[in-house]
Amino acid sequence: MDYKAPNSIDEAVKLLAEAKGAARVLAGGTDLLVQIRAGLAKPPLVVDVKNIPELRKISTDSDGIHIGAAVSGAELGEHDEVKAAWPGVVEATELIGSTQIQGRASLGGNLCNASPAADTVPALVAAGAICIIAGPDGQREAAVEHVATGPGQTTLKNGEFVTEFRLPKKLPRSADAYLRFIPRTEMDIAVVGAGVYLTLDEKGVCQQARVALGAVAPTVLLVGDGSKAIVGSSLDDAALDRLKAAASAACNPIDDKRGTVEFRVSVAGVLAKRAALIAKQRAEVN
Amino acid sequence: MPRQHVTTEVNGEPQDFLCEPQETLLDVLRDELHLTGTKEGCSSGDCGACSIMVDGRLVCACLMFGVEAQGKTIETIEGMAEGDKLHPLQTKFLEEAALQCGFCTPGFLVAAKALLERNSDPTETEVRYWLAGNLCRCTGYDKIVRAVMDVAAETRET
Ligand SMILES: Cc1cc2nc3c(=O)[nH]c(=O)nc-3n(C[C@H](O)[C@H](O)[C@H](O)COP(=O)(O)OP(=O)(O)OC[C@H]3O[C@@H](n4cnc5c(N)ncnc54)[C@H](O)[C@@H]3O)c2cc1C
Ligand code: FES
Ligand code: FES
């Protein structure tokens, strides 16, 4: 295995493109090193992207918030501005692993590892986040929900990697929230995850909403019927029950030791409803 | 693949080493630098026995390549005592029997020190969450948590 740590996006693209798909990007390594050590990945080249300044930066402008793809969970959790604007994205990030894992784990790695149970992905999808992808043909943008296509599979082409996530500018009376179910209190993989983003008008009526679910299908799901269930309502019990039903109906989960199909379908509804209530409470005060 | 030359600072001293790109920092610390206080439990990020500080962040040495340490400042358990003078956490772990076999202890000490440096008055819940990535198969955790809380309280008094 060879190791390269380029200082620029262009250099990284060149290294990845020349390796013709055999190289792996290294961010925090909390997925990749485990896979390499288990013999599941044997890349001839690892391209460490942590020395590229753009990938380590958090900044704000009129478009919203830009988060470098290799920023660690710990760095994101310490960023007051991101926490205030997108508490759901930050709480999802902080759920990843332990303090030690937080010191390294990145949003880019969580997305591109393409686990259906990745915690930040439903939160980013609910938030309407976009990722910026660099590649041999220049830069492109993709909605976060369009990156993973199945467990371990992404739409990234040869030479491409994610450089940045862009969270939209926060609107008044809007907020997001993320909840997951695990059998323990810490250090486990989501059995179900639910992210909700919503905006209220001055009377408390929901103007727009995005609902996303993790660990209930081969990829994270954006549940269109979930938003339809609550837009136009004041998140009364009837609307929340519609949301719960829509979330459960969207699920296409597997049976495994963490949870049965029946359990996942049921919990997805409950978590979507609870996350919507938390988002509502947050939206009312900001 | 030729071994790569890496320049770091370990426990306050400049330290160079040569390593294969696929060697973990944990292997380098233990096998090249003979700093065997940092332990290998799982090699998959689950147990925290390999906890070290890199540029002021608590990380698992088993989930980092040695070559990634280029230019970094590393602190390990060997740097915790000042000569013969134990760190208050080390003293308290001994006094309160917060260890049995001791395999997890270096990891817990490094992690607990990192916590107290950023939060001198943690609640029990905060201590337990901060240390959730450190596993101990002997003590049942209570004595460890109590020792950390006691050091925090005593440090605040002085
Ligand atoms: C003990 C432990 C507990 C964990 N707990 C959780 C948890 O609770 N929830 C959860 O979701 N995950 C968890 N994980 C998994 C992991 O920590 C996360 O998925 C993390 O976000 C991965 O980020 P990373 O920077 O370490 O990725 P890396 O390991 O560096 O990379 C992961 C994958 O993405 C690719 N990649 C990385 N960055 C980019 C990029 N910018 N562009 C393109 N491809 C890229 C890599 O090539 C690799 O295939 C856990 C892992 C461990 C070891
Ligand atoms: S050996 Fe590194 S976490 Fe277990
Ligand atoms: S004292 Fe034996 S594992 Fe903790």
Side-chain angles (χ1 to χ4, degrees):
Chain A
M1 189 190 100
D2 198 2
Y3 167 88
K4 291 272 167 23
N7 297 309
S8 72
I9 292 174
D10 288 349
E11 245 180 290
V13 166
K14 196 156 163 270
L15 285 165
L16 292 169
E18 280 167 2
K20 304 217 181 315
R24 291 292 284 272
V25 172
L26 171 68
T30 60
D31 281 313
L32 188 60
L33 264 86
V34 175
Q35 290 160 15
I36 289 175
R37 290 183 64 87
L40 298 172
K42 294 187 179 109
L45 172 65
V46 162
V47 178
D48 184 348
V49 293
K50 290 190 295 299
N51 290 347
I52 304 173
E54 290 91 331
L55 272 84
R56 299 299 297 275
K57 220 173 51 190
I58 301 177
S59 63
T60 313
D61 63 16
S62 54
D63 293 343
I65 297 177
H66 307 248
I67 303 171
V71 165
S72 71
E75 287 162 344
L76 195 61
E78 287 162 10
H79 202 283
D80 292 336
E81 215 178 324
V82 184
K83 244 161 96 174
W86 295 99
V89 170
V90 175
E91 71 200 348
T93 309
E94 291 189 317
L95 282 172
I96 296 177
S98 56
T99 316
Q100 287 86 339
I101 301 297
Q102 284 288 311
R104 311 272 296 168
S106 68
L107 294 182
N110 201 225
L111 175 64
C112 298
N113 187 56
S115 159
D119 278 307
T120 68
V121 180
L124 288 167
V125 168
I130 281 171
C131 56
I132 313 295
I133 297 167
D137 302 328
Q139 185 176 296
R140 67 181 175 101
E141 294 183 5
V144 168
E145 59 269 30
H146 294 148
V147 175
T149 53
Q153 302 297 318
T154 68
T155 52
L156 294 178
K157 293 192 282 285
N158 181 32
E160 285 192 332
F161 71 108
V162 177
T163 58
E164 165 187 322
F165 290 83
R166 211 167 277 174
L167 288 166
K169 201 170 153 57
K170 203 194 87 65
L171 301 170
R173 291 178 307 280
S174 74
D176 67 335
Y178 176 76
L179 288 174
R180 75 169 179 188
F181 176 85
I182 56 171
R184 302 172 65 192
T185 49
E186 260 281 74
M187 294 288 287
D188 208 340
I189 296 167
V191 178
V192 178
V196 174
Y197 164 77
L198 51 80
T199 307
L200 306 174
D201 69 8
E202 270 135 16
K203 297 196 186 90
V205 176
C206 179
Q207 297 297 299
Q208 46 170 324
R210 284 170 69 91
V211 177
L213 295 173
V216 292
T219 63
V220 166
L221 301 174
L222 176 62
V223 186
D225 286 346
S227 30
K228 281 192 207 130
I230 50 177
V231 168
S233 80
S234 53
L235 292 126
D236 50 289
D237 288 346
L240 289 169
D241 283 340
R242 286 197 302 273
L243 167 62
K244 183 165 171 252
S248 289
C251 297
N252 173 24
I254 54 165
D255 250 323
D256 69 4
K257 62 178 179 192
R258 298 179 178 282
T260 59
V261 167
E262 196 189 358
F263 181 76
R264 284 191 154 104
V265 167
S266 165
V267 170
V270 174
L271 288 191
K273 184 172 157 176
R274 289 185 190 164
L277 276 173
I278 297 171
K280 172 181 179 247
Q281 282 156 8
R282 287 177 177 164
E284 282 166 352
V285 295
N286 77 10
Chain B
M1 201 50 62
R3 280 153 65 97
Q4 297 193 9
H5 180 231
V6 180
T7 313
T8 64
E9 183 188 301
V10 179
N11 298 328
E13 301 284 333
Q15 176 78 64
D16 299 31
F17 54 83
L18 289 171
C19 74
E20 307 270 348
Q22 70 276 13
E23 262 182 283
T24 62
L25 182 57
L26 177 61
D27 289 341
V28 171
L29 289 171
R30 291 181 53 84
D31 302 342
E32 301 283 331
L33 306 180
H34 306 295
L35 294 170
T36 54
T38 306
K39 302 299 178 200
E40 176 168 21
C42 63
S43 265
S44 56
D46 292 291
C47 78
C50 65
S51 299
I52 58 167
M53 301 296 286
V54 175
D55 283 354
R57 289 268 177 220
L58 183 68
V59 303
C60 293
C62 72
L63 290 188
M64 201 177 146
F65 291 122
V67 284
E68 285 182 78
Q70 172 58 39
K72 302 270 187 282
T73 301
I74 297 168
E75 293 160 77
T76 70
I77 185 66
E78 284 85 355
M80 200 157 165
E82 284 171 33
D84 286 343
K85 193 170 161 281
L86 294 182
H87 185 277
L89 278 163
Q90 293 173 306
T91 310
K92 193 61 76 186
F93 267 51
L94 286 171
E95 281 172 13
E96 300 191 359
L99 66 148
Q100 289 177 33
C101 79
F103 194 82
C104 68
T105 313
F108 268 104
L109 287 168
V110 170
K113 179 165 175 269
L115 169 64
L116 297 186
E117 278 166 3
R118 57 178 49 222
N119 181 357
S120 60
D121 191 8
T123 62
E124 180 177 337
T125 304
E126 285 168 339
V127 173
R128 287 186 185 272
Y129 269 95
W130 184 272
L131 297 177
N134 292 82
L135 300 185
C136 174
R137 300 288 81 179
C138 305
T139 64
Y141 301 101
D142 269 353
K143 288 184 173 177
I144 293 173
V145 172
R146 222 172 304 148
V148 175
M149 302 285 293
D150 288 349
V151 172
E154 282 172 25
T155 313
R156 287 196 306 278
E157 277 162 24
T158 54

